[in-house]
Amino acid sequence: MTVSEIVEKRGNSRENLIQILHDIQDVSGDNSLHKDKIEELSKLMDLNVADIVGTASFYTMFSLVPRGKHIIRLCDSPPCYIMGSDNILEALEKKLGIKMGATTEDGMFTLEPTSCLGVCGVAPALMIDEEVYGNLTNEKVNGIIDGIRAG
Ligand code: FES
């Protein structure tokens, strides 16, 4: 789907900007907002590029740099931390072979921190793309990653 098709579908008013940015990022192929697409959007919506970049930078779900196909967001808020999110981070970094904030060489995963996902009752928790996983253990995390890799 092109930027103009997305804008046409959502409507070009300012209140639709977040949803439009989501759609553009979803079809980017690398989970990010490309400079040329933002420039195109700026013309279509009659908004400043700086305004769009400012909005995109404010929300952690958007990225201006290329990311993996799947975004892993590990909760680092206190309830998850107390329940061992630091151990989960260690297990994830080992499993993926990357540090927090990085993307795997095969472009499959980007590991990012997030604040509370709203499921503290099953802490420690993480979110991969749109799906939330709780009651994490090292074994469970390894199984989740293997499952996604296996498709
Ligand atoms: S603190 Fe991690 S889900 Fe709420």
Side-chain angles (χ1 to χ4, degrees):
M1 199 176 231
T2 65
V3 173
S4 61
E5 285 168 346
I6 290 169
V7 170
E8 196 175 317
K9 184 181 91 181
R10 297 283 179 193
N12 78 338
S13 76
R14 180 78 169 75
E15 66 194 30
N16 300 325
L17 180 59
I18 301 288
Q19 199 52 58
I20 288 169
L21 289 174
H22 268 297
D23 291 349
I24 293 173
Q25 184 168 270
D26 284 349
V27 298
S28 69
D30 59 11
N31 255 314
S32 70
L33 296 166
H34 302 168
K35 190 167 174 267
D36 59 326
K37 304 293 182 212
I38 291 177
E39 284 166 355
E40 193 181 345
L41 182 62
S42 139
K43 290 188 190 110
L44 289 167
M45 293 191 74
D46 199 19
L47 293 170
N48 287 331
V49 167
D51 186 10
I52 297 173
V53 170
T55 301
S57 309
F58 182 77
Y59 295 97
T60 56
M61 64 260 198
F62 298 124
S63 176
L64 298 170
V65 296
R67 294 185 295 180
K69 186 171 172 209
H70 303 285
I71 310 296
I72 304 173
R73 296 184 174 91
L74 178 65
C75 175
D76 64 0
S77 290
C80 278
Y81 182 77
I82 287 165
M83 295 305 285
S85 63
D86 52 342
N87 288 330
I88 301 301
L89 174 60
E90 221 171 274
L92 273 170
E93 288 182 337
K94 193 170 164 210
K95 179 75 176 166
L96 299 168
I98 54 170
K99 290 289 179 194
M100 178 57 94
T103 299
T104 55
E105 251 177 44
D106 62 2
M108 274 289 275
F109 297 100
T110 295
L111 181 56
E112 295 183 348
T114 183
S115 52
C116 183
L117 293 165
V119 292
C120 319
V122 294
L126 60 70
M127 189 171 178
I128 302 180
D129 303 328
E130 303 303 317
E131 195 158 344
V132 173
Y133 302 84
N135 293 318
L136 297 174
T137 60
N138 293 5
E139 297 69 37
K140 191 166 174 181
V141 160
N142 286 333
I144 293 166
I145 300 299
D146 286 341
I148 293 173
R149 277 203 195 281

